[in-house]
């Protein structure tokens, strides 16, 4: 694994450290605070970026051994923190995230580090480029702390994949119960934020890859409108559905990150209208204190039948009602029989075109320049196919061209179903400002034989937001047998700020948080141990 060397770098850089124990203890007190609070403290001189970054590096070493969420550390992070502190001390102007460490999912390029997408084929993919969203973070004086592990190729290689596993990074586990999945594909970002290993993290989503790991790890995840954030220099799956987004420990932090990363990019045509729908910085005047006048569409037809999830859902709905919202039940929704098949075929077609373009464009010395050669590379690698196959790659290679009528027809059907005939129609018919549902079932067991499968099924309507390209926010809402569950907030295209504003009120009124126990399994919980040990002493 790449991260094995980072502790040596950390120790070397700290060899001449003059930070006192008192300063270190003060920094430790700040590690669990929201990023926007940390940023204010750094700019006021109450906290140094150097101490904050040092504190997170020490916490990574102490807590991440079992969860395995961090793939690699930026060896320049501490020096960058020193430079930010020096700018503040001399009174220079700094950005909104000055000195704040950020983790990137390892399919997002940053100039200091390799971008592998978890694949041995990209082990040397040192492009020396910043993705535009990373450039915007750096322009705000944020520090790239490192890269998080992910489901290899963003979980688009095999139909029997194990979420959270990559050939480069190994397996990321859910830090609440280590026998459970961290979900994919932004598994490392979700697990890292649950353990508070950084101030902020970035994930990416095609269909559920921000929302699922955020919900199952008990953190905030925000998938913006497709086209709000640039996708340039991010390893792709689908140009109709892909987007990056914040994974954080508060809605206000996600809101702040989104406002900084958003904006048009001449190289990404999907962003041409982004500047017309600016996400404003979440200042006090924008943050609502109640939901009076807000109508919430309560999705019932995809809430599932798990009584524990339903109890958490009802508690969350009560918090919305107590905040002043009017709740409107939505009992049904019909979609064409071909929807799921068509949506898969669209992704297969788009991946083939997108990955060929990315691989051909990389300035690094990599062994595969198109999907066909990538498939051949995997066949010859010792690690890649040991756990599961590459049938998605093989199907994508044979998929219809993005120029074909078959592809265009399927794309039109699924986007119309999810967007105009789906979320838009549901909101209009029921006259609601936002749709809510459980984000997903609690985390499922890691299974090295059958791959990912959820006994309770996958619930919620996140797939509609993903296919339509609409904003989707998940906020921690409750706990089911030591595992977190989230509440989803979904609205129409470019309604990102509305979703964030409503979600921030819910978060404040509901007040739910959950701390990972790093338990091997639920049977190892302290309160259950006497029951599993038996009555008769041995």
């Amino acid at each position: 694994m790449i991260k094995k060397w980072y502790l040596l770098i950390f120790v070397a850089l700290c060899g001449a450290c003059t930070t006192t124990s008192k300063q270190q203890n003060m920094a430790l007190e700040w590690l669990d605070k929201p990023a926007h609070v940390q940023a204010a403290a750094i700019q006021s001189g109450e906290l140094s970026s150097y101490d904050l970054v040092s504190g997170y590096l020490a916490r990574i070493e102490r807590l991440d051994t079992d969860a395995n969420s961090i793939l690699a550390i930026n060896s320049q992070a501490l020096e960058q923190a020193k430079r930010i502190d020096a700018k503040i001390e001399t009174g220079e102007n700094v950005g909104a995230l000055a000195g704040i460490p950020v983790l990137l999912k390892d399919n997002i390029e940053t100039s200091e580090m390799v971008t592998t997408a978890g694949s041995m084929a990209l082990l040397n993919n040192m492009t020396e480029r910043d993705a535009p969203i990373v450039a915007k973070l750096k322009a705000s004086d944020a520090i790239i702390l490192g890269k998080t592990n992910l489901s290899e190729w963003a979980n688009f290689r095999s139909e029997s994949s194990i979420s959270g596993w990559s050939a480069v990074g190994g397996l990321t586990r859910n830090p609440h119960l280590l026998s459970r999945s961290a979900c994919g594909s932004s598994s490392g970002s979700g697990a890292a934020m649950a353990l508070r290993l950084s101030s902020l993290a970035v994930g990416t989503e095609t269909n559920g890859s921000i929302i699922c790991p955020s919900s199952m790890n008990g953190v905030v995840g925000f998938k913006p409108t497709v086209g709000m954030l640039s996708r340039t220099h991010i390893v792709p799956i689908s140009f109709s559905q892909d987007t990056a987004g914040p994974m954080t420990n508060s809605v206000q932090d996600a809101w702040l990150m989104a406002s900084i990363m958003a904006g048009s990019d001449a190289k990404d045509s999907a962003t041409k209208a982004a500047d017309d729908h600016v996400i404003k910085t979440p200042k006090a005047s924008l943050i609502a204190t109640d939901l009076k006048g807000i109508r919430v569409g309560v999705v019932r037809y995809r809430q599932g039948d798990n009584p524990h999830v339903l109890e958490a859902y009802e508690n969350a709905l009560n918090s919305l009602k107590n905040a002043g919202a009017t709740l409107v039940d939505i009992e049904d929704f019909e979609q064409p029989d071909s929807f799921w098949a068509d949506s898969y075929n669209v992704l297969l077609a788009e991946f083939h075109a997108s990955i060929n373009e990315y691989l051909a464009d990389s300035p690094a010395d990599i062994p595969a320049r198109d999907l066909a050669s990538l498939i051949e590379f995997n066949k010859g690698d010792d690690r890649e196919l040991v756990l599961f196959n590459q049938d998605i790659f093989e199907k994508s290679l044979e998929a219809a061209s993005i120029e074909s009528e078959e592809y265009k027809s399927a794309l039109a059907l699924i986007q119309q179903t999810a967007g105009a005939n789906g979320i838009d129609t549901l909101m209009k018919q029921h006259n609601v400002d936002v749709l809510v549902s459980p984000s997903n079932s609690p985390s499922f067991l890691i299974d090295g034989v059958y791959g990912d499968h959820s006994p309770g099924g996958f619930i919620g309507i996140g797939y509609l937001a993903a296919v339509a390209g609409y904003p989707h926010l998940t906020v921690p809402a409750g706990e089911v047998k030591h595992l977190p569950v989230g509440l989803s907030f979904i609205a129409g295209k470019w309604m990102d700020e509305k979703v964030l504003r409503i979600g921030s009120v819910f978060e404040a009124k509901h007040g739910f948080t959950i701390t990972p126990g790093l338990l091997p399994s639920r049977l190892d919980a302290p309160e259950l141990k006497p029951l599993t040990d038996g009555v008769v002493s041995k």
Side-chain angles (χ1 to χ4, degrees):
M1 289 173 56
I2 291 176
K3 76 172 182 180
K4 293 295 184 184
W5 47 262
Y6 84 81
L7 181 59
L8 297 176
I9 292 171
F10 173 53
V11 171
L13 289 172
C14 282
C17 251
T18 57
T19 305
T20 65
S21 296
K22 183 177 180 181
Q23 288 173 316
Q24 290 172 342
N25 290 335
M26 182 183 72
L28 290 175
E29 295 174 4
W30 286 95
L31 297 183
D32 293 335
K33 294 186 184 296
H36 66 275
V37 175
Q38 294 172 341
I42 289 172
Q43 295 194 33
S44 71
E46 187 178 358
L47 172 67
S48 76
S49 174
Y50 186 89
D51 286 345
L52 187 64
V53 171
S54 298
Y56 280 126
L57 289 173
R59 180 177 277 188
I60 288 168
E61 175 60 21
R62 182 168 60 88
L63 294 184
D64 197 42
T65 301
D66 291 327
N68 192 36
S69 66
I70 308 298
L71 195 151
I73 293 293
N74 175 16
S75 62
Q76 303 174 39
L78 284 171
E79 286 302 317
Q80 291 169 356
K82 281 183 180 180
R83 288 197 290 270
I84 294 296
D85 288 335
K87 288 175 68 174
I88 292 171
E89 287 175 10
T90 58
E92 292 185 50
N93 290 329
V94 292
L97 291 178
I100 293 298
V102 181
L103 290 166
L104 301 176
K105 182 178 178 180
D106 194 32
N107 60 350
I108 302 170
E109 293 186 15
T110 185
S111 59
E112 307 94 333
M113 305 179 74
V114 173
T115 299
T116 72
S119 169
M120 300 300 289
L122 297 186
L123 198 58
N124 297 315
N125 190 36
M126 184 68 180
T127 68
E128 299 184 355
R129 304 184 297 203
D130 283 332
I133 61 167
V134 174
K136 287 174 180 288
L137 289 170
K138 289 181 177 180
S140 75
D141 289 314
I143 294 168
I144 304 306
L145 183 62
K147 292 292 194 78
T148 57
N149 196 24
L150 69 163
S151 306
E152 184 174 318
W153 294 109
N155 227 3
F156 203 73
R157 197 196 82 185
S158 173
E159 293 176 0
S160 56
S161 68
I162 300 169
S163 283
W165 181 86
S166 72
V168 174
L171 179 64
T172 295
R173 298 174 181 271
N174 192 304
H176 296 274
L177 300 178
L178 295 167
S179 58
R180 298 270 163 174
S181 176
C183 201
S185 63
S186 306
S187 47
S189 294
M193 290 313 298
L195 289 168
R196 308 291 178 93
L197 302 183
S198 179
S199 301
L200 301 167
V202 185
T204 66
E205 172 161 328
T206 303
N207 194 338
S209 289
I210 289 174
I211 299 304
C212 184
S214 296
S215 173
M216 290 189 178
N217 288 282
V219 303
V220 171
F222 179 55
K223 184 199 81 73
T225 294
V226 170
M228 184 67 82
L229 274 60
S230 167
R231 288 91 54 87
T232 300
H233 302 329
I234 298 175
V235 181
I237 292 177
S238 161
F239 43 79
S240 67
Q241 293 180 211
D242 284 354
T243 183
M247 296 174 72
T248 67
N249 281 304
S250 78
V251 176
Q252 189 168 341
D253 285 350
W255 189 342
L256 177 60
M257 278 190 88
S259 71
I260 288 169
M261 293 191 293
S264 62
D265 169 20
K267 292 183 178 180
D268 184 354
S269 60
T271 67
K272 62 185 178 182
D275 295 339
D276 297 328
H277 303 278
V278 175
I279 300 176
K280 301 182 186 70
T281 302
K283 297 179 180 178
S285 59
L286 287 177
I287 301 173
T289 57
D290 62 52
L291 296 177
K292 293 177 182 176
I294 297 295
R295 290 173 58 85
V296 174
V298 179
V299 174
R300 295 294 186 185
Y301 69 92
R302 288 276 297 185
Q303 66 184 15
D305 56 8
N306 183 317
H308 306 291
V309 174
L310 293 176
E311 181 181 2
Y313 190 28
E314 293 303 327
N315 288 338
L317 295 174
N318 284 334
S319 291
L320 289 170
K321 187 175 181 179
N322 292 336
T326 300
L327 305 185
V328 181
D329 281 356
I330 299 176
E331 300 288 354
D332 55 47
F333 172 71
E334 293 185 6
Q335 60 195 39
D337 292 339
S338 67
F339 178 85
W340 294 112
D342 284 340
S343 62
Y344 188 27
N345 288 333
V346 164
L347 296 185
L348 291 172
E350 292 186 353
F351 179 73
H352 189 183
S354 298
I355 202 62
N356 279 359
E357 182 177 354
Y358 179 85
L359 294 172
D361 180 63
S362 174
D365 183 14
I366 56 176
R369 292 293 179 179
D370 58 25
L371 180 56
S373 57
L374 183 58
I375 291 170
E376 290 306 309
F377 173 89
N378 287 341
K379 290 177 181 178
D381 186 84
D382 292 338
R383 292 179 62 84
E384 288 291 353
L385 303 181
V386 171
L387 284 174
F388 47 82
N389 61 24
Q390 54 181 337
D391 54 354
I392 291 178
F393 275 13
E394 292 161 352
K395 289 180 179 180
S396 179
L397 190 64
E398 302 300 325
S401 162
I402 57 171
E403 302 300 328
S404 69
E405 286 304 315
E406 179 184 349
Y407 161 76
K408 292 176 182 178
S409 175
L411 179 64
L413 182 142
I414 65 171
Q415 289 190 330
Q416 186 80 3
T417 299
N421 295 342
I423 293 170
D424 294 343
T425 295
L426 289 174
M427 292 181 65
K428 184 176 181 180
Q429 283 182 346
H430 298 278
N431 187 26
V432 295
D433 297 280
V434 69
L435 303 174
V436 300
S437 72
S439 298
N440 222 314
S441 301
S443 179
F444 45 88
L445 283 168
I446 296 167
D447 192 330
V449 176
Y450 296 105
D452 291 347
H453 59 96
S454 178
F458 293 93
I459 58 177
I461 58 167
Y463 72 97
L464 290 178
V467 172
Y470 290 0
H472 183 178
L473 172 72
T474 181
V475 183
E479 176 183 351
V480 174
K481 298 184 178 181
H482 295 88
L483 293 169
V485 291
L487 183 69
S488 284
F489 297 83
I490 292 170
K493 190 172 185 177
W494 306 120
M495 294 183 183
D496 300 66
E497 195 174 299
K498 173 182 276 191
V499 167
L500 290 162
R501 187 180 297 112
I502 293 171
S504 70
V505 176
F506 167 76
E507 179 184 59
K509 298 296 184 182
H510 193 57
F512 174 80
T513 58
I514 182 170
T515 301
L518 288 167
L519 298 169
S521 73
R522 185 168 185 253
L523 299 178
D524 295 288
E527 69 274 20
L528 295 180
K529 206 74 174 79
L531 302 177
T532 58
D533 285 345
V535 176
V536 179
S537 60
K538 297 177 181 177

